[in-house]
Amino acid sequence: MRGLVYNAPGQVSVETVPDPSILEPTDAIVRVTKAGICGSDMHIYNHGDAFGFSPGCRLGHEFVGVVEAVGSEVRRVKVGDKVVSPFWFSCGRCAECHLGHYTSCTSGGCYGFQAFWSAGGDVQGGQSEMVRVPMADGSLDLVPEPLAADEHDTTTLPVADVLGTAYHAVAGAGIRPGNTVMVVGDGAVGLLACHVAGLFGAANVVLAGHHDDRMGVGERLGATHTVNTTGEDGAERAGALLAELTDGQGPEAVVDAVSSADSIARRSATCAPTER
Ligand SMILES: [Zn+2]
Ligand SMILES: [Zn+2]
């Protein structure tokens, strides 16, 4: 099969790689119909050597696909099912999984991150034609029938990572009905954070980013205000808008969907209460 291989910083290529196979009776093999590229993949692309990624490992942890084969102990999914996996595979049975803390699963790990997590044995990335999924009953979710056709993959794919990440951020920020929320960053997580903030009842959702076309997407997903913070006075303009919306108090919550040193510094300067 073909798969995306990391060779060195700045060097990845699609190459012929070994087909995955069932190694444990709880495994499934999934034929990938659509895969995403994450910001985390860019960290590996740029600095994979520093993180311990060796040449030949395969990237990708966001995918949707069809079950191609299952081990003898797999019960919840069968060959032919359309499935999506979160980026983190998990057993679904340990104490942490029972608490819903799947990313703390005592035997879990992340696809395409074997340098970090060796759990699950040989688990390669999802930017390949097929993936070995450990603990398939815990890891895979069935895609509901109305969305099971391949033409809906772009709708389903965000569930693998970016929607869950956005939801986690918004839930963790404790957003309540009527709040003003600042979302920093107009990438996929930031855009979906606007959507989720609306579900939590935020009255004002201010999206700050650098791309006018993505601002339009943010508005369609629920941002009530957008501000393109490109330029020296970008943070100042965002701060002025927030002050106006909150009578100088600043937003109740901020979702930082960039998390660079710059975004954190600007966030602090922009969202602090202002004197009026
Ligand atoms: Zn990701
Ligand atoms: Zn578990």
Side-chain angles (χ1 to χ4, degrees), residues 10-265:
Q11 290 179 30
V12 297
S13 57
V14 176
E15 300 177 10
T16 299
V17 296
D19 284 6
S21 56
I22 301 279
L23 301 179
E24 301 288 339
T26 48
D27 287 353
I29 305 297
V30 171
R31 177 172 53 80
V32 175
T33 52
K34 191 76 79 181
I37 300 173
C38 184
S40 311
D41 294 322
M42 297 310 297
H43 297 316
I44 303 169
Y45 176 81
N46 288 319
H47 309 290
D49 55 343
F51 298 138
F53 284 78
S54 50
C57 65
R58 302 208 298 280
L59 306 186
H61 54 268
E62 305 174 8
F63 59 90
V64 56
V66 176
V67 176
E68 195 79 3
V70 293
S72 59
E73 293 179 17
V74 174
R75 297 288 176 266
R76 282 186 57 244
V77 298
K78 61 184 187 308
V79 172
D81 282 344
K82 190 62 172 282
V83 289
V84 61
S85 174
F87 55 89
W88 201 266
F89 53 82
S90 58
C91 75
R93 294 177 176 180
C94 71
E96 293 294 345
C97 281
H98 279 153
L99 288 169
H101 303 159
Y102 300 108
T103 51
S104 297
C105 175
T106 50
S107 49
C110 186
Y111 304 95
F113 273 87
Q114 284 294 286
F116 277 10
W117 296 285
S118 56
D122 183 24
V123 186
Q124 292 291 344
Q127 290 158 7
S128 292
E129 286 183 287
M130 286 190 284
V131 183
R132 172 179 168 251
V133 175
M135 303 176 287
D137 281 339
S139 303
L140 294 173
D141 282 309
L142 286 170
V143 174
E145 186 55 39
L147 293 171
D150 290 358
E151 67 191 62
H152 300 301
D153 284 353
T154 47
T155 302
T156 314
L157 188 56
V159 175
D161 184 346
V162 286
L163 178 60
T165 302
Y167 188 95
H168 180 76
V170 170
I175 291 167
R176 304 166 75 92
N179 281 174
T180 293
V181 181
M182 168 86 165
V183 176
V184 182
D186 55 11
V189 173
L191 295 174
L192 285 166
C194 294
H195 179 59
V196 179
L199 298 180
F200 275 69
N204 298 306
V205 180
V206 179
L207 171 64
H210 289 167
H211 309 86
D212 287 334
D213 54 342
R214 296 188 194 174
M215 298 290 179
V217 176
E219 284 172 356
R220 290 207 300 280
L221 287 170
T224 56
H225 302 75
T226 59
V227 50
N228 189 324
T229 52
T230 307
E232 292 270 306
D233 65 341
E236 201 177 312
R237 284 184 286 108
L241 172 61
L242 287 165
E244 190 185 316
L245 290 171
T246 63
D247 199 22
Q249 294 302 304
E252 279 89 358
V254 180
V255 173
D256 185 345
V258 178
S259 200
S260 65
D262 186 49
S263 78
I264 291 166

